[in-house]
Amino acid sequence: MLYIIGLGLGDEKDITLRGLEAVQKSQKVFIEAYTSLLSFEMYNLLQEKLYGKSITVADREMVEEKADDILLEATSSDVAFLVVGDPFGATTHTDLVVRAKKLGVDVKVVHNASVMNAIGVCGLQLYRYGETVSLPFFTDTWRPDSFYEKIQRNRKLGLHTLCLLDIRVKEPSLESLCSYRGKKQYEPPRFMAVSVAIEQLLEVEQMRGENAYTEDTTCVGFARLGSEDQLVVAGSMKQLLEVDFGPPLHCLVIVGDTHPVEEEMLDFYKLAKKQGQA
Amino acid sequence: MLYIIGLGLGDEKDITLRGLEAVQKSQKVFIEAYTSLLSFEMYNLLQEKLYGKSITVADREMVEEKADDILLEATSSDVAFLVVGDPFGATTHTDLVVRAKKLGVDVKVVHNASVMNAIGVCGLQLYRYGETVSLPFFTDTWRPDSFYEKIQRNRKLGLHTLCLLDIRVKEPSLESLCSYRGKKQYEPPRFMAVSVAIEQLLEVEQMRGENAYTEDTTCVGFARLGSEDQLVVAGSMKQLLEVDFGPPLHCLVIVGDTHPVEEEMLDFYKLAKKQGQA
């Protein structure tokens, strides 16, 4: 049996009782560490305090290239595969399930909170979001902007837009990809900050000039959503550019039309109010 | 302190360790029982096995009319308010947070899985959903169809649509609302089944005739999502009409354009395959 277990968003205490039981009866435990941020502290806590057994950290290479080894173990014993958030936040995990089913391995999923529902905390109703967009880090030569039409469409319909911000963990460096010899070199991990996301959004708006949004558009920035020290701040793009959201992960919501209850709740997170209260 | 704690989707074991700790240190525990389905068995298990303290079931009247009593207790002691799924699935809970903040009551949210992310289990990627729609029970005189344009829009963009199906728990009967005397009478609880949802969808399509979808459109029906006995079946609307999904809760996804990984995963849930395997 392969258990795919969501760990939720905060720390080692966000696993469910059902998830913990599955880990405890598994002979082998893997933890996925590339579609989200798994802190060293959390890893150690998980290992020592809760599970009392060794955990193998599975990076992108292991999951994408050596999935069959993991699945082979799951044919004859219980294997737990831990994922930060909910198991189906990322396509990779769907692919793992497809492979498992093809090999005849039984799969059980233990759900948990993910960014996709925890953003509800800011008061914007989840059923009033349009299509989600991903903002990739721009490079000198690669500045894709297909998110622009999607945001524009959502905003024309009065819908909110969740922007997932780029996470680059253990990406092979360009140099190492171009070289046929030598071992793979990796770039240092990078997590896009709210300010970088807004800079890129405004750069694209300036280029396209169709007023999909402006620097006065209301947004909500989130950092470490679901953790004890989460930060949620609402304000215009211009205002949020100046906010130091601190350590990753960050994400951003571009606000559409709001209902009164949404507005009231958003008010608690607004920048002017926050400073006034401080 | 007011803890608003998501219970997740399945049973008493879907609470997180963080949620359980908060319940254990609370002096008073309420459980919300009208935006989702709280089974009698689950209630008893929660009360006896996990929490060891008495739980007050909060119906719609209590939360909407007597919220201040709950909040008053939270000013001087720890109060836990339990919600099936994630705390921000329903507008009512946002409203409770707004009231709490206005009264100066500290609020902590413990997230969990909700329908909004657990539908990921069928393989359709969460970021490829458009706006969510709600399907209300039609009556002889009330047949609202504003969901039609939304589904049409999503499908034109190739996006999937989550349809939340009506839940009617402890609704005052029409007779009792029309009478000034006597005590309030309630309708028996009703939960919309996938087949009723599809019948209503097809009725509206026949009336509007704009081909937003047809009886051949691929959908995914879900029953008891996140539970041990969950049922997920993919097929055309016509096919799903014939499927007995069993006890509530149900929900329905109208499938948009699919990517190869989505298609592969959906195949495992397709009706013909399922029957072939049986």
Side-chain angles (χ1 to χ4, degrees):
Chain A
M1 173 77 75
L2 174 68
Y3 293 97
I4 306 189
I5 301 166
L7 292 176
L9 295 167
D11 60 28
E12 81 286 356
K13 285 188 188 163
D14 288 306
I15 194 167
T16 64
L17 301 186
R18 181 189 304 282
L20 189 57
E21 275 186 12
V23 172
Q24 279 161 347
K25 73 175 174 193
S26 290
Q27 278 81 53
K28 196 118 192 196
V29 182
F30 295 91
I31 190 162
E32 179 269 320
Y34 61 95
T35 63
S36 187
L37 176 66
L38 175 72
S39 72
F40 190 68
E41 292 78 25
M42 177 160 165
Y43 170 70
N44 277 339
L45 270 168
L46 282 169
Q47 179 140 322
E48 287 164 25
K49 296 238 172 111
L50 291 179
Y51 308 152
K53 56 183 78 181
S54 85
I55 303 177
T56 307
V57 175
D59 60 20
R60 185 185 295 273
E61 269 171 38
M62 183 186 257
V63 178
E64 293 184 354
E65 292 165 22
K66 292 176 194 157
D68 291 349
D69 298 350
I70 297 176
L71 295 174
L72 197 67
E73 302 211 44
T75 52
S76 55
S77 63
D78 286 335
V79 172
F81 187 83
L82 309 180
V83 176
V84 176
D86 185 70
F88 294 104
T91 321
T92 322
H93 308 137
T94 308
D95 192 52
L96 189 66
V97 176
V98 168
R99 289 194 200 202
K101 295 203 176 208
K102 281 184 180 168
L103 288 171
V105 175
D106 285 328
V107 179
K108 270 201 183 173
V109 173
V110 181
H111 289 289
N112 209 319
S114 71
V115 171
M116 306 296 278
N117 66 353
I119 47 167
V121 77
C122 76
L124 299 172
Q125 296 299 308
L126 294 178
Y127 60 85
R128 300 203 54 256
Y129 279 77
E131 188 176 2
T132 300
V133 303
S134 293
L135 303 191
F137 275 117
F138 282 176
T139 70
D140 288 344
T141 53
W142 195 67
R143 305 175 97 73
D145 61 0
S146 61
F147 54 79
Y148 186 81
E149 281 90 12
K150 293 178 186 172
I151 297 170
Q152 190 170 39
R153 217 150 49 202
N154 287 343
R155 286 182 56 78
K156 276 188 184 158
L157 297 168
L159 301 174
H160 315 309
T161 308
L162 168 61
C163 306
L164 298 172
L165 309 187
D166 206 356
I167 295 174
R168 301 184 70 82
V169 182
K170 223 176 171 189
E171 299 284 330
S173 69
L174 192 61
E175 294 75 20
S176 98
L177 281 178
C178 295
S179 122
Y180 287 98
R181 289 161 214 262
K183 67 174 183 165
K184 254 185 203 168
Q185 304 276 330
Y186 298 99
E187 293 180 5
R190 293 170 73 201
F191 304 95
M192 189 185 283
V194 165
S195 59
V196 173
I198 293 177
E199 277 165 14
Q200 292 195 179
L201 283 167
L202 290 175
E203 178 188 318
V204 173
E205 175 57 61
Q206 195 164 31
M207 223 157 49
R208 307 279 288 247
E210 299 168 35
N211 262 305
Y213 46 83
T214 72
E215 59 175 23
D216 295 319
T217 299
T218 303
C219 292
V220 186
F222 301 80
R224 303 170 302 286
L225 181 60
S227 305
E228 285 285 331
D229 69 336
Q230 76 174 12
L231 181 64
V232 182
V233 185
S236 68
M237 286 196 182
K238 197 167 52 183
Q239 285 175 321
L240 294 189
L241 265 181
E242 305 302 321
V243 177
D244 178 5
F245 280 87
L249 296 179
H250 295 183
C251 68
L252 181 73
V253 169
I254 303 174
V255 180
D257 299 340
T258 47
H259 294 178
V261 181
E262 291 182 314
E263 199 58 53
E264 270 193 307
M265 187 78 171
L266 222 49
D267 271 348
F268 291 112
Y269 297 111
K270 284 229 169 113
L271 209 56
K273 279 234 171 146
K274 277 183 82 79
Q275 286 170 339
Q277 282 166 351
Chain B
M1 174 77 76
L2 174 69
Y3 292 97
I4 306 189
I5 301 166
L7 293 176
L9 294 167
D11 61 29
E12 80 286 356
K13 284 187 187 163
D14 287 306
I15 195 168
T16 64
L17 301 186
R18 180 189 304 282
L20 188 58
E21 274 186 13
V23 172
Q24 279 161 348
K25 72 176 173 191
S26 290
Q27 278 82 52
K28 196 118 190 195
V29 183
F30 294 90
I31 188 161
E32 179 269 321
Y34 61 94
T35 63
S36 188
L37 176 65
L38 175 72
S39 71
F40 190 68
E41 292 77 24
M42 178 160 165
Y43 170 70
N44 277 339
L45 271 167
L46 282 169
Q47 179 140 321
E48 289 165 25
K49 297 238 171 111
L50 291 180
Y51 306 154
K53 58 182 78 180
S54 85
I55 303 177
T56 306
V57 176
D59 59 21
R60 184 185 295 273
E61 269 171 38
M62 183 187 256
V63 178
E64 293 184 354
E65 292 165 23
K66 293 176 193 157
D68 289 350
D69 297 350
I70 298 176
L71 295 174
L72 198 68
E73 301 210 46
T75 53
S76 56
S77 63
D78 287 334
V79 172
F81 186 83
L82 309 180
V83 177
V84 177
D86 186 70
F88 293 104
T91 321
T92 322
H93 308 136
T94 307
D95 191 53
L96 189 67
V97 176
V98 169
R99 289 194 199 202
K101 294 201 176 211
K102 282 185 180 168
L103 288 171
V105 175
D106 285 329
V107 179
K108 268 200 183 172
V109 173
V110 181
H111 289 289
N112 209 319
S114 70
V115 171
M116 307 296 276
N117 66 353
I119 48 167
V121 77
C122 77
L124 299 173
Q125 295 301 307
L126 294 178
Y127 61 85
R128 301 204 53 257
Y129 280 77
E131 189 177 0
T132 300
V133 303
S134 293
L135 303 190
F137 275 117
F138 282 177
T139 69
D140 289 343
T141 53
W142 196 66
R143 305 175 97 71
D145 62 0
S146 61
F147 54 79
Y148 187 81
E149 281 90 12
K150 294 178 184 171
I151 297 171
Q152 190 169 40
R153 217 150 51 202
N154 287 344
R155 286 182 57 76
K156 274 187 185 158
L157 296 168
L159 301 174
H160 316 308
T161 308
L162 168 60
C163 306
L164 298 173
L165 309 188
D166 205 355
I167 294 174
R168 301 184 71 81
V169 183
K170 222 175 170 189
E171 299 286 330
S173 69
L174 192 60
E175 293 76 19
S176 97
L177 280 178
C178 296
S179 122
Y180 287 97
R181 290 163 214 259
K183 66 173 185 169
K184 251 185 205 168
Q185 304 276 330
Y186 297 100
E187 292 179 5
R190 292 171 73 200
F191 304 95
M192 190 184 284
V194 165
S195 58
V196 174
I198 293 178
E199 277 165 16
Q200 292 194 179
L201 283 166
L202 290 176
E203 177 188 318
V204 172
E205 176 57 61
Q206 194 164 32
M207 223 157 50
R208 307 279 289 248
E210 297 168 37
N211 262 306
Y213 47 83
T214 71
E215 59 174 24
D216 295 319
T217 299
T218 304
C219 292
V220 186
F222 300 80
R224 302 170 302 287
L225 182 61
S227 305
E228 285 285 331
D229 70 336
Q230 77 174 10
L231 181 65
V232 182
V233 185
S236 67
M237 285 195 182
K238 196 166 52 182
Q239 286 175 321
L240 294 189
L241 265 181
E242 305 303 320
V243 176
D244 178 5
F245 281 87
L249 296 178
H250 295 184
C251 69
L252 180 74
V253 168
I254 303 174
V255 181
D257 299 339
T258 47
H259 293 177
V261 180
E262 292 182 313
E263 199 58 53
E264 269 193 306
M265 187 78 171
L266 221 50
D267 271 348
F268 291 112
Y269 296 111
K270 285 229 168 114
L271 210 54
K273 278 234 172 145
K274 277 183 83 78
Q275 286 169 340
Q277 282 167 352

